[in-house]
Amino acid sequence: MRNKIGVIGAGLVGATAAFALSQSGLASEIVLIDANEQRARGEALDIEHGAALAPPVLVRAGDYPDLADAHLVIIAAGANQKSGETRMDLAQKNLAVIDSIVPAAVRYAPECVLLVVSNPVDVLTWRAAELAGLPAGRVLGSGTVLDSARLRTLLSRHTGVDPRNVHAYVLGEHGDSEVPAWPLTSIAGMSMEEYCRDCRGCGGHLPERMREQFDAQVRGAAYTIIEGKGATYYGVAAAIRRIAEAILRDERAILTVSTPISGPYGLENTCLSLPCIVGAQGVERVLPVNLPENEVALLRRSAEIIRAQCGQAVLQPVSPF
């Protein structure tokens, strides 16, 4: 079976994601598309030169017609977040990019799952779902998969447990209003409180100040990285690879991807991250996990911030053909 992936946008995120996917053994073919055709060709050629040292995969530059038969199309095009700039500051610039890309992508790959990773990912996923006209679940965003991984990494360092065995979720916006779901955090089926009582390494519990510190580090991670090196791309590429794995292998994995939401927690007509079952057709089910009222309130606030940004965006029909 051929697993073809299209990556639209050959900038730092798109190219790094394509490289990560080329090393994963998930894809039989990866097509890189960019408005700068020379950049796409250069990135594809650079990745292809490692083909003898990785699982077999054809990596090439192309255009929208080359997306035909793609199972997964990843949108990583658009302006990058700059130092001092929030993800929401990118909204208007990148909404125009989404308006031009999505109709072309679904025209040539009507059976694909569409994965949005450009920022602000929740707003752009909302717009992409509106434009694509695909069945529910087949348009999703990378959401807080990376944020959840960052939280798991911090808790791993604190507890000395392999991060793959730490279960933790960041919900809501992939941005400043994101919500760490502390009651859902667990190790070996034990809540963090239970684990800490048994460990007694920091007084038998996870202090509130430490939770706040972890929250701030996760929330501010992108700003810290951008200040240090100008852009984030390795972590998000790893998150893209993980989501692609769940889709192409039909894993039905639980991931905090961004998806259009109406119903859970009283949320209506918005797009944000909740724990979802992700398989071959994208989001198969949103899991209505039990949250305390204070976290539900924070989640609703996050939804309002996203919805306000979506409401400010005027849909501009664009023909990319």
Side-chain angles (χ1 to χ4, degrees):
M1 180 179 177
R2 292 181 60 81
N3 282 328
K4 184 176 182 179
I5 300 175
V7 180
I8 303 175
L12 289 171
V13 170
T16 308
F19 174 73
L21 290 165
S22 75
Q23 300 293 300
S24 70
L26 289 169
S28 55
E29 182 178 356
I30 299 171
V31 179
L32 268 173
I33 298 173
D34 197 277
N36 183 340
E37 295 178 10
Q38 185 176 2
R39 172 69 181 264
R41 286 195 298 271
E43 295 289 1
L45 188 61
D46 196 10
I47 295 169
E48 187 183 33
H49 283 169
L53 309 172
V57 58
L58 171 64
V59 182
R60 64 187 179 94
D63 206 341
Y64 289 100
D66 297 299
L67 294 177
D69 300 322
H71 188 159
L72 176 64
V73 174
I74 298 164
I75 299 179
N80 292 322
Q81 186 178 353
K82 299 176 182 177
S83 183
E85 189 175 41
T86 69
R87 295 177 181 93
M88 284 300 190
D89 290 335
L90 298 174
Q92 287 304 136
K93 287 184 280 188
N94 285 349
L95 279 165
V97 174
I98 289 292
D99 289 354
S100 68
I101 286 174
V102 171
V106 297
R107 177 184 179 185
Y108 292 104
E111 301 302 319
C112 77
V113 174
L114 201 59
L115 174 61
V116 179
V117 301
S118 305
N119 278 318
V121 69
D122 302 294
V123 175
L124 300 189
T125 303
W126 162 81
R127 176 63 71 85
E130 188 175 45
L131 285 170
L134 296 176
R138 277 185 36 206
V139 179
L140 64 155
S142 52
T144 57
V145 172
L146 176 56
D147 308 86
S148 297
R150 286 167 172 162
L151 180 57
R152 291 169 61 193
T153 299
L154 292 171
L155 289 170
S156 167
R157 290 178 182 170
H158 177 70
T159 60
V161 174
D162 185 330
R164 293 172 297 180
N165 298 119
V166 178
H167 299 280
Y169 304 99
V170 176
L171 311 179
E173 177 198 5
H174 173 54
D176 297 339
S177 70
E178 63 191 26
V179 183
W182 288 107
L184 302 182
T185 304
S186 66
I187 297 174
M190 305 166 70
S191 70
M192 279 304 300
E193 288 301 317
E194 290 171 327
Y195 183 86
C196 290
R197 277 200 303 271
D198 183 69
C199 174
R200 300 186 180 279
C202 51
H205 67 285
L206 188 65
E208 184 64 29
R209 60 172 176 78
M210 198 164 288
R211 292 189 185 196
E212 292 173 355
Q213 184 181 67
F214 290 159
D215 184 4
Q217 288 181 54
V218 172
R219 198 183 305 273
Y223 299 116
T224 302
I225 294 167
I226 289 167
E227 185 177 347
K229 56 179 265 187
T232 67
Y233 39 93
Y234 294 127
V236 70
I240 292 166
R241 183 207 58 78
R242 180 67 191 98
I243 298 167
E245 186 176 55
I247 293 168
L248 295 176
R249 291 182 176 169
D250 195 18
E251 289 183 345
R252 305 189 82 245
I254 297 173
L255 298 170
T256 53
V257 293
S258 184
T259 189
I261 297 291
S262 282
Y265 315 108
L267 304 175
E268 297 292 339
N269 302 318
T270 191
C271 196
L272 47 68
S273 291
L274 292 172
C276 297
I277 297 176
V278 180
Q281 295 302 309
V283 174
E284 296 185 9
R285 183 182 168 201
V286 178
L287 300 177
V289 291
N290 189 26
L291 297 174
E293 190 54 42
N294 66 312
E295 291 192 358
V296 171
L298 291 173
L299 195 58
R300 288 172 179 159
R301 175 179 171 272
S302 187
E304 286 300 326
I305 289 170
I306 297 165
R307 189 158 43 233
Q309 189 66 46
C310 291
Q312 292 171 21
V314 178
L315 191 61
Q316 299 288 346
V318 175
S319 175
F321 311 127

